Amino acid sequence: MTPALLASALLLVVTLSYVSLCAASPFGNCRKCRGMGHAIKTDRKGRTKRGKDCRRCKATGKRIRVGRHLYNVAARLHRDGTR
């Protein structure tokens, strides 16, 4: 098997797995708050307590994946263009 064929097959497998991940689970954890929806703070005694709500995900802890966002944009563009 040539290296170019192997690389293209590997790229196809990675792409198809990401597409199936976006179809099965369109939302992932927020990268800033790690899916908690808020920051973790410690008080002066060292005990953990809840911090401010995450502004990036609006305290939901979830974000839309890049692939799903691109699919939504393409679907909206197609729907608006064929009306």
Side-chain angles (χ1 to χ4, degrees):
M1 195 181 258
T2 64
L5 185 61
L6 183 64
S8 63
L10 184 64
L11 184 65
L12 181 66
V13 167
V14 169
T15 303
L16 290 177
S17 357
Y18 184 69
V19 165
S20 65
L21 177 70
C22 288
S25 174
F27 295 98
N29 288 337
C30 176
R31 285 177 241 139
K32 185 175 182 183
C33 65
R34 296 184 183 102
M36 295 195 61
H38 56 81
I40 300 293
K41 295 178 92 174
T42 56
D43 60 2
R44 294 191 299 176
K45 293 182 181 179
R47 292 181 293 201
T48 58
K49 66 179 212 173
R50 181 185 165 104
K52 290 183 178 179
D53 287 344
C54 180
R55 289 173 28 191
R56 182 180 287 177
C57 65
K58 297 180 181 76
T60 62
K62 296 293 178 186
R63 64 168 176 86
I64 193 160
R65 295 186 194 276
V66 175
R68 185 60 184 212
H69 177 71
L70 291 175
Y71 172 77
N72 289 348
V73 168
R76 188 178 310 121
L77 182 66
H78 176 71
R79 187 175 51 244
D80 291 345
T82 57
R83 241 188 256 181

